[in-house]
């Protein structure tokens, strides 16, 4: 493994840790928006790829739709804790 690959790997791990650490103080609405966007992007990318379309466009559209649905969902519509 070359030094450039080691540096890239370490950098990726550090960036991922910082990004995930930034999600620790989110309120419920922000958490719903983030998780809705992530789920929507995954489903949209998969749907785009499976239908022969663009997985990138599907991911972008699905992510935007999921984030919007998560943001506009009220506390009464979602039961977060069992």
């Amino acid at each position: 493994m070359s030094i450039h690959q080691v540096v890239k790997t370490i950098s990726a791990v550090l960036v991922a840790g910082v990004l995930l650490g930034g999600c620790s103080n989110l309120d419920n609405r922000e958490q719903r928006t983030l998780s809705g966007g992530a789920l929507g992007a995954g489903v949209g990318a998969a749907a785009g790829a499976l239908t022969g379309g663009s997985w990138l466009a599907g991911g972008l559209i699905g992510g935007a739709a999921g984030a919007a649905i998560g943001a506009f969902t009220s506390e009464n519509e979602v039961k977060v804790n069992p």
Side-chain angles (χ1 to χ4, degrees), residues 20-40:
L20 290 174
C23 297
S24 63
N25 293 328
L26 298 178
D27 63 15
N28 286 337
R29 178 173 296 262
E30 292 167 339
Q31 289 176 357
R32 287 192 311 270
T33 302
L34 184 64
S35 61
L39 289 170

Side-chain angles (χ1 to χ4, degrees), residues 61-78:
I61 294 168
I69 291 170
F72 293 122
T73 304
S74 72
E75 289 286 330
N76 297 331
E77 296 172 342
V78 177

Side-chain angles (χ1 to χ4, degrees), residues 3-14:
I3 188 72
H4 294 293
Q5 291 173 327
V6 171
V7 170
K8 283 183 183 181
T9 302
I10 292 172
S11 298
V13 169
L14 290 175

